[in-house]
Amino acid sequence: NELLKSGTILMNTYKILGVKDQGGMGAIYKAESRLLADEEYAVKEMLDNYSSVKEKQEGLDLFQQESDILKKLRHPNLPRVHAFFEENNRYYLAVDYIRGRTLEDIVESATDFIPESVILRWSTDLCNILEYLHHQKPPIIFRDLNPRNIMLEEGTGDIKLIDFGIARFFKAGQSSDTLSLGSPGYCPIEQYGRGQTDIRSDVYTLGATLYHLLTKKVPIAAIERIKPTPVALKPPGKINRRISPHIEQAILQALEINPDNRYQTVGEMRQALFTKSKTKKIAQNTQKTTTTKTSD
């Protein structure tokens, strides 16, 4: 599990320049091409920190799945995958190198709250990416949206979603997910083995991400909110008084414990974020009890 040294050559193509990030199960290196001038890559390595052969195989399956998912996708806010390979019994994934900073770094280093208008601009890109993933066949559920997995690209100001480590294809009819993965504070209750993740799970993670970006606080974990002595979710407007009421309401609905009470699609949440009055939605709900299906 020793990290690769600068100068290491992989696949006779990728020259390692240094370590960019490291977690419990993986490391990310910056690399350059030995074949193409000015071509840079992020090379992700799966570290062998697993406690059993079975656990390692599950980790490798997720790593392979990340490659399989990214290879099929073409979107301006997603990195392209260049190679998935094994060398010296170690596994690697090479993708576009994104110059920039994570939203977590931007928010945590700011001395004041990021303006709501800036967060909404970022949320437009996030909604676009998630809707693109959800419209794949079968739908792709990202499952781990949080400020650490989102980068603001240097120069362009574009949002880039950078880590598909626990994304999955939606399997209709499956009652629960095999693995309980995700980042505490961002993942919904169904990611604790209490149901299958679906589009509404990404709605929850989007709500949690916006909560953090606007308040500089990670929301209380979903599992803490359903304990015998539950910990209440503090409304974001109580932390940042400058949050607009309709933005706060959109975030709180996205963070509902019961998936049926959340927005059912990212499109619904997008509309709520950019619609200052909820009068229209209330009128529609009332209308459903008094009008025909056609007029609805």
Side-chain angles (χ1 to χ4, degrees):
N1 268 340
E2 289 185 8
L3 297 179
L4 299 177
K5 294 180 172 59
S6 296
T8 301
I9 306 298
L10 297 175
M11 290 286 287
N12 201 34
T13 302
Y14 306 104
K15 180 181 179 181
I16 300 300
L17 301 178
V19 180
K20 295 299 293 181
D21 196 12
Q22 180 185 359
M25 298 302 172
I28 299 176
Y29 306 91
K30 181 180 180 181
E32 66 180 7
S33 173
R34 298 181 67 240
L35 307 175
L36 301 170
D38 301 322
E39 281 290 312
E40 294 180 327
Y41 307 93
V43 176
K44 185 174 180 180
E45 177 184 25
M46 189 184 90
L47 298 179
D48 191 356
N49 288 334
Y50 298 97
S51 59
S52 67
V53 174
K54 179 177 182 291
E55 190 177 274
K56 180 178 179 179
Q57 186 58 52
E58 289 174 343
L60 180 57
D61 290 345
L62 281 173
F63 201 39
Q64 175 76 65
Q65 180 176 276
E66 179 176 4
S67 172
D68 293 343
I69 288 174
L70 280 171
K71 280 192 294 189
K72 297 177 180 179
L73 302 177
R74 292 292 182 272
H75 192 279
N77 299 108
L78 298 177
R80 292 173 303 156
V81 64
H82 294 274
F84 177 80
F85 58 95
E86 176 189 1
E87 189 162 309
N88 297 324
N89 294 316
R90 298 167 80 161
Y91 295 89
Y92 301 94
L93 177 64
V95 299
D96 287 338
Y97 181 75
I98 309 297
R99 290 182 176 273
R101 299 168 67 195
T102 67
L103 296 194
E104 179 183 63
D105 180 43
I106 292 171
V107 169
E108 296 308 312
S109 62
T111 56
D112 196 3
F113 296 119
I114 304 291
E116 186 179 89
S117 58
V118 174
I119 306 297
L120 284 177
R121 188 163 67 245
W122 294 345
S123 73
T124 298
D125 281 347
L126 293 174
C127 288
N128 288 342
I129 299 167
L130 290 176
E131 286 186 303
Y132 172 75
L133 296 176
H134 295 166
H135 282 92
Q136 300 302 303
K137 298 186 183 303
I140 295 170
I141 314 302
F142 188 72
R143 297 204 298 172
D144 198 24
L145 189 71
N146 67 71
R148 190 178 183 185
N149 288 340
I150 306 164
M151 289 190 71
L152 190 67
E153 189 174 37
E154 186 180 297
T156 66
D158 290 339
I159 288 292
K160 299 285 186 177
L161 207 52
I162 58 170
D163 192 345
F164 275 69
I166 66 168
R168 64 184 286 275
F169 293 103
F170 177 73
K171 298 177 182 176
Q174 183 170 301
S175 59
S176 64
D177 287 350
T178 306
L179 297 174
S180 299
L181 298 170
S183 303
Y186 302 97
C187 61
I189 200 65
E190 54 267 28
Q191 273 178 246
Y192 288 87
R194 295 169 180 265
Q196 183 187 189
T197 49
D198 59 23
I199 287 170
R200 299 168 300 177
S201 306
D202 280 348
V203 167
Y204 188 101
T205 61
L206 177 57
T209 296
L210 296 181
Y211 185 108
H212 185 176
L213 296 178
L214 285 164
T215 67
K216 297 167 69 76
K217 301 286 186 184
V218 178
I220 191 72
I223 197 72
E224 298 294 328
R225 297 166 59 194
I226 64 165
K227 286 185 173 180
T229 305
V231 181
L233 174 68
K234 190 171 186 176
K238 298 288 186 184
I239 306 171
N240 178 0
R241 301 286 181 177
R242 285 171 265 172
I243 298 175
S244 300
H246 75 285
I247 300 294
E248 178 182 54
Q249 183 56 42
I251 291 172
L252 290 175
Q253 184 166 341
L255 290 175
E256 287 280 355
I257 292 293
N258 186 339
D260 292 338
N261 294 336
R262 299 174 204 154
Y263 300 106
Q264 300 302 288
T265 66
V266 171
E268 285 184 14
M269 185 172 177
R270 182 209 296 269
Q271 184 177 15
L273 288 170
F274 290 93
T275 304
K276 290 187 177 182
S277 171
K278 294 190 69 178
T279 305
K280 182 178 179 182
K281 182 175 181 181
I282 293 169
Q284 287 177 340
N285 288 341
T286 304
Q287 191 180 41
K288 287 183 181 180
T289 63
T290 59
T291 60
T292 65
K293 184 176 181 180
T294 304
S295 62
D296 247 0

